[in-house]
Amino acid sequence: MSETTVPVTRTAASSAVSPVIAESSTARGRRARIALRTLQVVLALFYVIASALPKLIAHPSAVEGFDKMGWGSAGMYIIGVLELAGGIALLIPVLQSVAAVALSGLMVGAFVVQLTYFDGENAATPLILIVPLGLIAWARRRHNADLLRLVRRRV
């Protein structure tokens, strides 16, 4: 019995890393894209409405918390603006991954603050938010190259 061998050539498509499910053109990939986009919208709404807005309108609960930490209204407005910017940036394709990373960093800070100033009350919330933010940062990481190109073009 003889075997015939056929030379195998590598094409650009076969040598490339397999595409992320959320970016594939299959039905599964489409559902993943929709789910990821929905998650981004929900998180953006959370950061803009539930988190940044009370700080930016100086809601008494936000003022009380920042006064307890000794950060005052300046700290409250700075954190509010960062959360607002991050929430909006989650919806802008070229900024999605960077926004998710930045908001994750903000949540690490929020976790530390919850532990140190508030005896761990609600400390799980920032940790829980880091999980979907990490997923967004990873799934949208290819947009970082686009952002880098834009920044280099302007410099």
Side-chain angles (χ1 to χ4, degrees), residues 65 68-71 109 111-121:
K68 182 178 180 178
M69 292 184 293
W71 293 11
F111 173 72
V112 171
V113 164
Q114 291 295 328
L115 288 179
T116 56
Y117 289 103
F118 301 104
D119 299 321
E121 183 182 330

Side-chain angles (χ1 to χ4, degrees), residues 52 54-58 62-83 106:
K55 294 172 183 78
L56 296 175
I57 64 170
V63 171
E64 179 186 333
F66 279 88
D67 283 346
K68 182 178 180 178
M69 292 184 293
W71 293 11
S73 60
M76 179 180 66
Y77 290 126
I78 290 169
I79 299 295
V81 167
L82 291 173
E83 290 175 340
L106 199 59

Side-chain angles (χ1 to χ4, degrees), residues 3 21 40 49 68-69 83 101 109 116 119 129 136 144:
E3 287 185 33
I21 291 174
Q40 287 176 241
I49 295 170
K68 182 178 180 178
M69 292 184 293
E83 290 175 340
V101 170
T116 56
D119 299 321
L129 289 169
I136 292 167
N144 292 338

